[in-house]
Amino acid sequence: MIKTAPAPAAVAEGDIRASDADRDRVAEILREALAEGRLDPEEHAERIDTVYRAKTMGELEPVVRDLPAAGKEGARLGQEAYAHGPGAPVPDQNLVAIFSASVRKGRWQAPARINAFALFGSVEIDLTEAVFPQQQVQINVTAIFGSVEIRVPENITLRSSGSGVLGSFEVESNDAEDADAPQVVINGYAVLGSVEARPKRGAWIRDLRDRLWEGHRALRDELREERRERHHQLRQDRHEWHERLRAERHERRDRFRKGAGS
């Protein structure tokens, strides 16, 4: 009778090896918690150290268990590199410039719809460091004797269906190699004004992740140096305190000997 070998035991979810992308996502949750005041710098540094040392998913999960983002599909540990997915919708963003300027840039959550209106003014929309909670972002622009300028990361898809009326409507179309990459669609018109949209060369979504990772390392190193300096100062203060006590004991002993000999 032929005996069949037993099937190998399934690997528990917590025992699955963690990838660099998994560590990146946990580090991002910790960074948000630090920015919101949920963690102090020392707690953040300790948890980041744990993230760097983690080998499995089970070691990463406790690091964010008590943080709000941890409840969203296991801190989103198993998702792809992009942040879009189910969650609370981001409200529409309205940028208006009438004889003025309106700018939106830096790190921000891009909503599904952005409305830009420029009348004798200028609007600047910079998505190169934005987080994309959903895959598609629609930007509706109206430029009347004004200008709207849009910048996006190089590795997203950029589309347009706008037009110019005695003005310019220039959108540099771009196709991302990754089918899951965010898509930005620009609609609208320019009347005696201008609309310009193009990828910012060298600005990739993954670049932001790399910068955040470098920021975590810099903060960790800074906190370690501060702890080292505090530890050194405490040792020095303790040494001085012991020396002072020793000097006081010697002084009391000398006074006692002098009093006993008189």
Side-chain angles (χ1 to χ4, degrees):
M1 181 177 180
I2 300 175
K3 294 183 178 180
T4 57
V11 179
E13 183 177 354
D15 294 332
I16 297 175
R17 301 285 291 189
S19 67
D20 289 340
D22 295 327
R23 297 186 187 90
D24 284 348
R25 281 186 282 276
V26 175
E28 171 63 12
I29 293 173
L30 295 178
R31 192 201 68 81
E32 294 292 345
L34 175 65
E36 294 172 358
R38 299 182 190 277
L39 297 175
D40 61 38
E42 290 192 3
E43 290 174 323
H44 176 266
E46 291 173 359
R47 297 196 187 196
I48 283 293
D49 287 341
T50 302
V51 171
Y52 291 149
R53 294 194 303 267
K55 302 292 185 182
T56 65
M57 302 293 284
E59 294 176 88
L60 288 176
E61 193 275 334
V63 177
V64 292
R65 181 180 296 160
D66 58 346
L67 299 177
K72 298 179 181 179
E73 299 183 16
R76 309 179 75 88
L77 295 181
Q79 295 189 4
E80 298 300 325
Y82 304 108
H84 52 256
V90 181
D92 294 353
Q93 179 92 47
N94 298 313
L95 299 173
V96 179
I98 301 177
F99 290 96
S100 62
S102 181
V103 179
R104 193 68 172 93
K105 62 181 180 179
R107 180 168 174 77
W108 58 299
Q109 287 197 1
R113 181 177 291 102
I114 301 174
N115 301 309
F117 178 80
L119 175 63
F120 289 99
S122 63
V123 174
E124 179 184 350
I125 303 173
D126 190 339
L127 294 168
T128 55
E129 295 187 2
V131 176
F132 294 83
Q134 61 284 315
Q135 186 175 14
Q136 182 166 310
V137 174
Q138 180 176 321
I139 303 179
N140 301 316
V141 299
T142 301
I144 303 175
F145 290 97
S147 64
V148 176
E149 182 178 343
I150 302 167
R151 294 292 177 266
V152 301
E154 187 175 352
N155 59 333
I156 75 167
T157 296
L158 181 61
R159 289 282 182 270
S160 169
S161 61
S163 60
V165 180
L166 298 179
S168 64
F169 198 103
E170 300 180 1
V171 175
E172 184 179 329
S173 298
N174 186 66
D175 288 319
E177 295 182 0
D178 188 346
D180 293 328
Q183 301 175 6
V184 176
V185 180
I186 301 174
N187 302 318
Y189 56 90
V191 179
L192 295 172
S194 65
V195 174
E196 179 187 354
R198 59 183 176 84
K200 184 176 180 179
R201 302 306 175 191
W204 287 42
I205 293 178
R206 70 185 183 195
D207 289 346
L208 176 60
R209 183 188 66 187
D210 294 339
R211 287 198 299 273
L212 290 173
W213 192 263
E214 291 172 2
H216 290 314
R217 285 198 296 264
L219 179 59
R220 179 194 63 183
D221 294 341
E222 181 180 349
L223 291 172
R224 281 181 173 173
E225 183 62 27
E226 290 179 359
R227 287 198 296 269
R228 190 179 298 112
E229 291 178 0
R230 287 199 301 268
H231 181 66
H232 176 73
Q233 186 63 43
L234 287 173
R235 291 184 60 183
Q236 185 176 353
D237 292 345
R238 188 161 51 243
H239 176 72
E240 292 177 357
W241 181 68
H242 283 301
E243 289 295 326
R244 188 164 57 250
L245 288 179
R246 187 179 296 110
E248 291 176 356
R249 286 198 300 269
H250 290 168
E251 184 180 352
R252 287 196 300 269
R253 184 183 61 188
D254 293 342
R255 286 201 304 267
F256 177 76
R257 286 177 177 176
K258 290 179 181 179
S262 60

